[in-house]
Amino acid sequence: MKIKDADSIKRLAESSRQLLTPSVPRIAVGMSSCGLAAGAQSVMEAFQVECGRQGVECRIVATGCLGFCGAEPLVEILLPGKAAFVYGPVEENRCADMVAELREGRLPRDNLLGRREVGGAEIEDVPPLSDHPFYKGQIRIVTRNLGLIDPGSFEEYVACGGYQALAKALGAMSSEQVIDEIKSSGLRGRGGAGFPTGLKWEMTRKSPSSPKYIIMNGDEGDPGAYMDRSLMEGDPHALVEAMIIGGYAIGAQTGILYVRAEYPLAQKRLREAIGQAKEAALLGRDILGSGFDFDLYLVSGAGAFVSGEETALIHSVEGRIAEPDPRPPYPSEAGLYGQPTCINNVETLANVPVILDRGAEWYGGFGAEKSKGTKLFCLVGEVARTGLVEVPLGTPLAAIVHGMGGGGRGGAAVKALQTGGPSGGCIPSEAFDLPADYEALQKMGSIMGSGGLIVLSERTCMVDTARYFLKFTREESCGKCTPCREGIDYLSHVLDDIVAGKGAGVNLDAIEQVSRGIAAASLCGLGQTAPNPLMTSLRHFRAEYEAHVTENRCPAGVCSALLHISIDPQACTGCTACVAVCPVSAISGTKKEPHQVDQSLCIKCKACEDICRFNAIRVV
Amino acid sequence: MDSEIGIKTGEIAQRWKGTPGMLTGALQEIQETFGYLPEEGIRTLASELDIPLSRIFSVATFYSFFRLTPPGLHHIQVCEGTACHVLGADQLSAKLFRDLKIGDEGVSEDRLFSIDRVRCLGCCSMAPVVRIDDRTYGRVRQKNVAGILKPYLKEGDGEN
Ligand SMILES: Cc1cc2nc3c(=O)[nH]c(=O)nc-3n(C[C@H](O)[C@H](O)[C@H](O)COP(=O)(O)O)c2cc1C
Ligand code: FES
């Protein structure tokens, strides 16, 4: 169906509303990559089978991620006239009972996390989802549609107010007015650097030459972060809409969605969304009768961290190897094919339609003085509740880690937080009253980065973590400039030596000096920031480094060359489970009696620790 | 050029010709079709898209996603991203290599399995993560490995 004007969008929104609040129960299963990894596919199928078998009429849909990945598979059941109820984790074998309860008119209660209001009469004794500790303090602006709509359905997006911002921009605003609105909202780039988005748009618009291009950066190279994946998989039309608006603002007629190859589902959903938008005539010629033409292409990344850097990304789109160029010239002057190009991060763009819809002033009401709006963070690692959280910028780290995250996994003491991935640094738990905003994190020697928050506990070794990041940047350095190529290689090998127990002669001060040199002399952001993880952990956790270097000891029990694995005779029941899994037959003993580890054979794979039900394996 | 590889890559090339990102797009589709980038496919692509062969090879070797040798019947991606690393990806990955008797070349002798170490599959909240073909497994402990591999072993037994 072709959509010709703003009115037809409104009409479609009206007529599609029943998809979201049908007259029968609506069962929505979170089927983003994280949900699928937790088994959501079988849960969905079980609901389909059971509803058929028990004769319960339902609308069953696949949605994006509701955020609380730690409780996946997540399911939301919307009961007409009542509310929507969110459950998690929902095991496949519970579905039959849940459908039976619905059939008998009872509300399933197991693993009920809370209720979301949809305008029906209230169900008193179920607390709102926003009171659940994971959700308390979160605001859903960027993630407004995640987990609520079927990302494969154009109509459901429109029913939630989708494409009305586009209609407003094309119908009632000049390009300059759109730019002014984004400028006064205070929106800053979410890809790491925090550059004001409106200003970037204006610079690209004012560049004299044309054609111009707009590119969405969906490379999300930071390992341990998946904000952008969730948005691309869960609300693809919001990004298509934002790109059309951005194209209109800067004067581009071609847009590119650059998405990394490791995200096949995100690529699929975006391709579908482009196809649907084309069919609706929201892409192509004379969009909504405004005279504005715009086309959108999806370009796949191919597994190189540096291709997320904007100049390298441009080379990648041009079909070259992803080597960065020195800036200036900035892409806004000379980017793709030498033409003015605006590159925005996925999350940055996801803010655009709401800002136009609700106004810059409304948006500016969230967040901190210099960091407006909200930010998505991925709370992962050694944390009790993992997931995707959206909080106003400036929220204290403690509220995120201890409040939403519930502290360390299995009660472990939280030691630090790694922000900003391989370009960022660690923040010790003593400093968790720090607000999460661009300036505060930078002051700590870390960066906001794209939003990965990796919780490190007493079971995480800081030396090993620094070594991990340096190995990463060593392998991902494109090799073009010497300080990055040679300097990181050197540091990485020094750390390899330390964790291998060969660090006796290492001078920690000298490492710091080399780090500063690399940061000062590298060509692009990759090299300039690569020493950050090492420098920050040396600053805050020097004692751990010293334990490795001078005592050959890994206090966290991680660095295998320094470990000693033994069995606690008091705790061991002689169940022989460890004997069966030990790949090198290093464990022996009589059944029902304490066992022993032969140190000369042990390869420290920790398979025994993994299988032991009596907590009898000691790693020191 | 009239072999299966030649014909299919020719079609893929025509679909991508002239669009932004055509080289990586076409290479990705060729890899999806054949599981890797066969030399003949690369040669066909070079002439169809009018791009020097040397440039295609430099692109195909620069990006870690592309492979120039055939994978096993089942391709395993084990995540070594930060969240997975912190939760023991090293040991998990070592176990997979050990149990499937796979060495540095990445493919088992019977060609049933191949393994790639990758950086982040975007399911960090479910760490440690392993993907086999197009199915992703979360919260994988060493003790779950045998159970996860089982369905793939059976199918392979039948086919080999
Ligand atoms: C090594 C390196 C990797 C980067 N990776 C990404 C990435 O994966 N995603 C992203 O949006 N920005 C990444 N950036 C930042 C981009 O260069 C660019 O600043 C950003 O996409 C601009 O969008 P924004 O203004 O909306 O944040 C990276 C930068 C560097 C130096
Ligand atoms: S770190 Fe393994 S999936 Fe992200």
Side-chain angles (χ1 to χ4, degrees):
Chain A
M1 186 188 58
K2 294 213 183 315
I3 295 186
K4 298 208 181 67
D5 49 32
D7 277 347
S8 20
I9 296 185
K10 290 217 172 81
R11 277 198 304 278
L12 181 63
E14 268 319 308
S15 65
S16 304
R17 210 146 282 158
Q18 41 79 27
L19 293 171
L20 297 173
T21 47
S23 54
V24 296
R26 180 181 188 268
I27 302 181
V29 185
M31 298 265 269
S32 276
S33 297
C34 41
L36 290 170
Q41 183 72 40
S42 344
V43 172
M44 170 107 165
E45 283 160 14
F47 274 118
Q48 282 162 341
V49 169
E50 284 305 323
C51 287
R53 197 177 64 84
Q54 302 189 34
V56 175
E57 205 189 331
C58 278
R59 191 173 128 72
I60 302 176
V61 291
T63 57
C65 177
L66 262 177
F68 190 4
C69 309
E72 300 259 28
L74 285 166
V75 173
E76 185 191 90
I77 302 183
L78 186 145
L79 299 175
K82 292 182 177 165
F85 301 90
V86 178
Y87 301 85
V90 175
E91 304 296 335
E92 185 188 344
N93 56 18
R94 274 284 301 142
C95 299
D97 288 347
M98 290 174 82
V99 173
E101 284 167 311
L102 289 180
R103 191 191 53 199
E104 290 157 13
R106 285 186 293 130
L107 183 70
R109 295 274 169 176
D110 280 7
N111 294 351
L112 178 54
L113 298 173
R115 116 184 102 79
R116 182 172 67 85
E117 268 163 64
V118 288
E122 214 164 280
I123 293 205
E124 289 293 335
D125 62 341
V126 178
L129 192 61
S130 51
D131 277 359
H132 186 283
F134 179 79
Y135 288 100
K136 206 168 180 136
Q138 291 201 46
I139 298 185
R140 295 175 58 100
I141 295 177
V142 180
T143 55
R144 59 196 174 277
N145 293 329
L146 287 197
L148 306 189
I149 64 168
D150 171 359
S153 164
F154 172 67
E155 289 78 12
E156 288 198 10
Y157 179 67
V158 172
C160 285
Y163 289 109
Q164 303 213 0
L166 176 68
K168 186 168 170 186
L170 295 187
M173 298 170 86
S174 67
S175 297
E176 287 77 9
Q177 282 172 323
V178 174
I179 291 176
D180 282 344
E181 193 74 17
I182 299 297
K183 267 167 91 177
S184 55
S185 74
L187 176 64
R188 295 170 62 175
R190 303 290 191 243
F195 192 83
T197 306
L199 197 58
K200 195 188 273 190
W201 285 15
E202 183 171 63
M203 282 157 50
T204 319
R205 175 158 191 90
K206 287 194 171 153
S207 273
S209 131
S210 70
K212 298 183 187 356
Y213 297 97
I214 180 164
I215 301 181
M216 177 188 86
N217 188 345
D219 198 54
E220 191 152 69
D222 177 0
Y226 59 94
M227 301 74 47
D228 295 348
R229 172 187 67 68
S230 301
L231 293 172
M232 294 187 280
E233 287 180 356
D235 199 9
H237 275 289
L239 300 168
V240 172
E241 181 177 6
M243 287 291 280
I244 310 172
I245 295 173
Y248 174 71
I250 68 167
Q253 295 182 352
T254 307
I256 285 160
L257 304 175
Y258 186 87
V259 186
R260 69 200 298 248
E262 290 85 347
Y263 290 174
L265 186 59
Q267 294 192 349
K268 177 169 167 255
R269 294 262 161 88
L270 285 168
R271 282 208 172 92
E272 280 168 8
I274 293 176
Q276 292 165 346
K278 261 191 196 146
E279 215 166 281
L282 293 172
L283 284 173
R285 304 206 141 261
D286 191 20
I287 297 167
L288 296 174
S290 64
F292 173 62
D293 305 337
F294 190 74
D295 272 312
L296 206 47
Y297 299 87
L298 190 138
V299 174
S300 175
F305 174 64
V306 72
S307 55
E309 196 279 334
E310 52 191 21
T311 59
L313 186 149
I314 286 169
H315 288 161
S316 174
V317 175
E318 290 170 346
R320 300 167 190 280
I321 60 175
E323 272 182 349
D325 277 336
R327 301 174 307 181
Y330 285 91
S332 56
E333 303 155 66
L336 186 61
Y337 310 120
Q339 296 299 120
T341 303
C342 174
I343 300 181
N344 285 127
N345 163 263
V346 171
E347 186 185 336
T348 311
L349 287 166
N351 279 286
V352 166
V354 222
I355 292 175
L356 288 197
D357 228 9
R358 316 217 26 193
E361 204 176 321
W362 168 82
Y363 187 80
F366 300 97
E369 170 78 35
K370 285 187 183 159
S371 305
K372 292 292 181 207
T374 59
K375 178 80 195 80
L376 295 184
F377 290 102
C378 288
L379 195 51
V380 297
E382 285 273 11
V383 64
R385 287 188 286 264
T386 58
L388 177 73
V389 300
E390 178 172 2
V391 292
L393 278 159
T395 301
L397 295 172
I400 303 176
V401 177
H402 294 295
M404 298 160 199
R409 192 173 65 101
V414 173
K415 184 156 76 181
L417 194 58
Q418 174 77 26
T419 72
S423 317
C426 65
I427 295 167
S429 57
E430 301 84 67
F432 280 5
D433 50 0
L434 213 65
D437 69 44
Y438 297 95
E439 280 72 24
L441 295 190
Q442 205 147 20
K443 240 184 258 158
M444 280 301 285
S446 183
I447 56 165
M448 174 100 110
S450 53
L453 291 183
I454 294 161
V455 177
L456 309 177
S457 79
E458 55 192 341
R459 292 186 296 229
T460 322
C461 170
M462 300 310 289
V463 185
D464 173 71
T465 309
R467 178 194 68 93
Y468 167 83
F469 281 122
L470 282 167
K471 176 166 174 272
F472 181 95
T473 36
R474 182 186 75 203
E475 289 170 6
E476 294 295 337
S477 163
C478 73
K480 187 166 171 175
C481 72
T482 317
C484 173
R485 186 184 62 238
E486 301 296 330
I488 296 176
D489 188 62
Y490 167 76
L491 288 181
S492 170
H493 283 114
V494 171
L495 286 179
D496 281 346
D497 283 347
I498 297 181
V499 303
K502 292 181 248 164
V506 172
N507 177 341
L508 297 177
D509 296 329
I511 296 184
E512 278 179 317
Q513 218 164 4
V514 175
S515 300
R516 279 193 292 271
I518 299 171
S522 293
L523 183 62
C524 87
L526 189 147
Q528 289 155 8
T529 57
N532 280 351
L534 173 62
M535 290 208 287
T536 50
S537 79
L538 251 178
R539 188 178 319 145
H540 301 298
F541 297 94
R542 207 178 178 94
E544 266 192 57
Y545 283 81
E546 280 160 358
H548 284 71
V549 172
T550 57
E551 302 165 35
N552 259 341
R553 188 170 65 83
C554 174
V558 171
C559 297
S560 49
L562 310 181
L563 295 187
H564 180 91
I565 294 186
S566 60
I567 295 175
D568 179 349
Q570 250 81 57
C572 179
T573 62
C575 75
T576 75
C578 55
V579 178
V581 295
C582 179
V584 289
S585 308
I587 304 178
S588 59
T590 318
K591 210 172 171 177
K592 298 204 176 150
E593 279 177 36
H595 281 48
Q596 302 84 34
V597 182
D598 181 341
Q599 297 301 325
S600 65
L601 295 177
C602 176
I603 56 168
K604 281 112 185 176
C605 71
K606 296 187 183 172
C608 47
E609 188 189 31
D610 192 52
I611 198 98
C612 181
R613 286 180 292 130
F614 306 99
N615 210 4
I617 308 292
R618 294 286 164 269
V619 180
V620 284
Chain B
M1 284 275 274
D2 44 8
S3 69
E4 192 204 340
I5 292 178
I7 293 168
K8 280 198 178 151
T9 24
E11 288 166 9
I12 292 171
Q14 284 315 312
R15 260 203 300 288
W16 283 94
K17 202 168 181 167
T19 62
M22 64 176 172
L23 180 55
T24 39
L27 286 173
Q28 190 192 19
E29 208 179 322
I30 295 172
Q31 181 156 307
E32 264 163 33
T33 311
F34 302 105
Y36 73 112
L37 300 175
E39 193 184 324
E40 191 191 341
I42 292 183
R43 287 185 188 283
T44 313
L45 195 65
S47 68
E48 295 278 332
L49 296 184
D50 212 7
I51 294 177
L53 197 58
S54 62
R55 205 175 106 206
I56 301 196
F57 270 110
S58 82
V59 166
T61 48
F62 179 86
Y63 295 99
S64 63
F65 180 73
F66 296 124
R67 46 186 313 142
L68 297 167
T69 51
L73 180 62
H74 297 296
H75 186 57
I76 303 178
Q77 293 173 290
V78 45
C79 179
E80 293 188 354
T82 319
C84 293
H85 176 81
V86 168
L87 295 179
D90 276 0
Q91 278 99 7
L92 182 65
S93 150
K95 179 172 173 67
L96 283 165
F97 276 91
R98 201 166 53 229
D99 286 5
L100 296 171
K101 299 193 180 61
I102 293 180
D104 286 340
E105 69 291 352
V107 189
S108 65
E109 213 175 81
D110 58 6
R111 306 206 70 82
L112 185 55
F113 289 101
S114 49
I115 307 185
D116 254 345
R117 299 183 164 99
V118 297
R119 264 70 166 281
C120 193
L121 295 165
C123 303
C124 330
S125 51
M126 308 301 249
V129 176
V130 171
R131 190 177 283 165
I132 305 183
D133 300 333
D134 50 12
R135 184 140 184 216
T136 310
Y137 300 85
R139 301 189 191 115
V140 183
R141 313 300 319 175
Q142 294 193 48
K143 59 185 170 208
N144 313 132
V145 165
I148 289 174
L149 290 176
K150 208 167 161 202
Y152 303 93
L153 288 169
K154 257 199 228 132
E155 182 193 324
D157 285 348
E159 281 180 32
N160 274 15

